[in-house]
Amino acid sequence: MERIYKTMRNAGAGSIAMGIVIATAGLTVGIISIVTGAILLKRKSEIEF
């Protein structure tokens, strides 16, 4: 039984760590997208087709 609890503990800790990494990556990508969009909107008058 103790082995099962250790396995569950490790799986839970791994899931929490993976969730933090994914949330951080998502936040970073979101911020970069917002900044890039703002730059494009700021310079839209300079774009000619």
Side-chain angles (χ1 to χ4, degrees):
M1 283 301 252
E2 188 175 330
R3 186 173 179 187
I4 293 171
Y5 289 122
K6 285 183 180 181
T7 302
M8 289 174 58
R9 183 188 65 202
N10 290 339
S15 294
I16 291 172
M18 189 64 98
I20 291 170
V21 169
I22 290 172
T24 304
L27 184 64
T28 303
V29 170
I31 290 171
I32 291 171
S33 296
I34 291 170
V35 169
T36 303
I39 291 171
L40 286 173
L41 286 175
K42 184 178 175 184
R43 296 183 180 174
K44 73 178 181 180
S45 63
E46 299 173 13
I47 299 173
E48 296 180 13
F49 289 98

